[in-house]
Amino acid sequence: MKRIIYYILSSCLLLTTGCSNWLDVKPSNRVEQEEMFSTEDGFKNSLTGVYINLKSGSLYGQTLTMELNEYLAQHWKTNASEAPGYISAYDYGNSSVQSMIDQVYTDFYNTIVNINNLLDFVDNGVLSEDMYNLIKGEALGLRAFCHLDLLRLYGPIPGKQTDKKILSYAREVSRQNMPVNTWAEYIAFLEQDLNEAEALLEKIEKKGIENDYFTYRQNRMNYWAVMAVKARFYLWIQNKEKAAEYAAKVIAGAGEQFKLSQPQDFTDKDYIASSEHLFSIHVYDLEDITEAFFYRAGGVEQTKSLIAKLFEGDVTDCRGDEKLWKQLKGSNSGDRYVLMKYKQSEALVTTREQIPLVRLYEMYLIAIECSDEASVYQPLIKQLLTARNMSLDMDNAGVDQKNQFVAMEYHKEFYGEGQAFYQSKRRNDETIMWSNTPGSASVYVLPIPKGEIKYEE
């Protein structure tokens, strides 16, 4: 059986996410596209549209950060008879769950079509050398970023892949049927995009340019973000040597712009550790989103006993009980134990509307996991213990203990950010924390929408 996905471009996808199904719309006029990309502003607007797509509620504005992935990781208390309960039970056949999963898949490829449309014109000679390096580098990095998360959600468990076709790595805008790629083909294309993005952004990031478009780099796919995504990618494909290499590069080289948040930052209510953001999105109505999702009556919560167990009774940890987690009381919210991560201080004007997608803390965890030499991982662990004021005794941690430390830190640190489920899948954990469902391909591999795949003999 040969599976084929139909990729068709629609002009309405350039700046918005208004079209619900990109597979069914008709292609826009080529002349209109050429006119749009005849100016530098046309390229800027197109790339801005990609970032707008990424922060939509069905992608990183909610679903993939604080909602779907967190239910999959068992991070929220649920009702078995409601949609969140079906997600937590990995019931992907439930219509509500299936609809959410399908929307994520469709919106990812919507975004990728927009990126590919930009890249189709980027070599037309309109852009200066600096803007070319910046815009093409960001576009390629974003294309790789989207494809990596498609792989992490809908692809096979790492190490369990076969030579069968899995997903399409979309690299062009075409009216023709685009074949689905094998694992080997897919990761080769992904690595190629990351390598080219790294080379292009290195040229411009270290040089810098006086241009309003070269601002707020933490909210864009910058050079250090690409390096961090490469570390994440190599860890995913089980190349620990390369993962450690890129994690170390980020830790060593990004110090002037990014640093580990410290306990005082949490005391000052910078709960999202903004100094660590290698890549984050700015969501202007984040306060409204999180008020509805977390803090009002009916919002998500977790039991106090489970959170206490997660933090192993460490009362000094600045992410634990009565710090990042608090009991909300009152008629409007009920008595609920909730995550305060997105309840930023009003004094933090520039960081209150940020959702982190890649953080420096993750680079430390990758570096620790990928080395079995105590002389390498012990100093890194000590930096994390200090940064979060943990009282854990890790002075003589062996390989098994440090790996357990890393596994638990993905839950403690990235709660509400959508990263923990990926780690369970990557490790192919047979036991999923707080779940009675054994880990397996039926749990870890989300189903591709049936209506968007065509089968041919």
Side-chain angles (χ1 to χ4, degrees), residues 191 194-195 198-199 223-235 239-253 278 360 363 366-367:
E191 183 176 32
L194 287 171
N195 286 340
E198 177 188 348
Y223 171 69
W224 296 110
V226 169
M227 300 279 276
V229 173
K230 290 187 82 169
R232 181 185 282 182
F233 162 70
Y234 283 122
L235 183 62
N239 187 337
K240 288 191 172 183
E241 182 178 355
K242 295 289 283 186
E245 175 188 341
Y246 275 91
K249 286 181 178 180
V250 176
I251 292 169
L278 299 166
L360 184 61
M363 297 302 103
I366 290 175

Side-chain angles (χ1 to χ4, degrees), residues 52-70:
I52 291 172
N53 287 0
L54 288 177
K55 59 187 180 183
S56 68
S58 58
L59 289 178
Y60 299 104
Q62 181 168 324
T63 299
L64 294 180
T65 47
M66 56 191 81
E67 190 176 18
L68 173 65
N69 287 14
E70 294 299 277

Side-chain angles (χ1 to χ4, degrees), residues 22-37:
W22 59 270
L23 301 173
D24 297 333
V25 298
K26 299 194 181 298
S28 61
N29 190 294
R30 177 76 180 185
V31 175
E32 294 176 1
Q33 300 300 316
E34 290 176 348
E35 181 179 353
M36 177 176 183
F37 291 111

Side-chain angles (χ1 to χ4, degrees), residues 97-230:
V97 179
Q98 189 174 43
S99 178
M100 179 180 285
I101 292 172
D102 288 359
Q103 192 65 53
V104 170
Y105 180 91
T106 301
D107 285 356
F108 261 132
Y109 279 111
N110 280 339
T111 304
I112 292 167
V113 166
N114 289 348
I115 296 170
N116 287 341
N117 188 55
L118 183 157
L119 291 171
D120 197 31
F121 288 90
V122 77
D123 292 308
N124 65 3
V126 168
L127 298 173
S128 67
E129 181 180 359
D130 285 342
M131 290 307 297
Y132 175 87
N133 291 336
L134 180 66
I135 290 176
K136 186 175 183 180
E138 285 190 26
L140 287 169
L142 289 169
R143 186 167 75 178
F145 182 81
C146 290
H147 278 105
L148 177 56
D149 272 2
L150 278 165
L151 183 66
R152 295 204 293 176
L153 287 168
Y154 302 94
I157 298 168
K160 299 295 183 179
Q161 71 273 7
T162 66
D163 58 357
K164 293 182 179 179
K165 297 180 184 297
I166 53 169
L167 291 165
S168 176
Y169 199 97
R171 298 188 300 154
E172 59 184 28
V173 177
S174 175
R175 294 169 182 256
Q176 304 301 314
N177 299 343
M178 191 166 290
V180 178
N181 300 113
T182 65
W183 168 278
E185 292 168 340
Y186 194 97
I187 64 171
F189 290 141
L190 208 165
E191 183 176 32
Q192 181 180 331
D193 275 354
L194 287 171
N195 286 340
E196 190 171 354
E198 177 188 348
L200 290 166
L201 290 174
E202 183 177 20
K203 294 177 183 178
I204 191 67
E205 207 83 51
K206 294 183 177 180
K207 172 186 175 183
I209 56 174
E210 293 185 7
N211 189 295
D212 289 342
Y213 208 65
F214 190 72
T215 55
Y216 300 102
R217 297 305 294 155
Q218 77 277 14
N219 293 143
R220 316 207 38 128
M221 182 52 69
N222 61 77
Y223 171 69
W224 296 110
V226 169
M227 300 279 276
V229 173
K230 290 187 82 169

Side-chain angles (χ1 to χ4, degrees), residues 69 72-73 90 92 153 419-425 443-444 446:
N69 287 14
L72 294 173
Y90 310 108
Y92 302 140
L153 287 168
Q419 293 300 321
F421 175 71
Y422 294 133
Q423 307 313 312
S424 294
K425 176 175 179 176
V443 165
Y444 291 132
L446 272 58

Side-chain angles (χ1 to χ4, degrees), residues 17 62 247 291 359-360 370 454:
T17 56
Q62 181 168 324
E291 279 294 325
R359 287 206 276 123
L360 184 61
C370 292
K454 308 297 182 183

Side-chain angles (χ1 to χ4, degrees), residues 157-160 236 238 421-432 439-441 444:
I157 298 168
K160 299 295 183 179
W236 189 260
Q238 301 184 325
F421 175 71
Y422 294 133
Q423 307 313 312
S424 294
K425 176 175 179 176
R426 176 178 62 80
R427 296 188 300 262
N428 194 22
D429 291 343
E430 293 183 7
T431 301
I432 300 173
S440 65
Y444 291 132

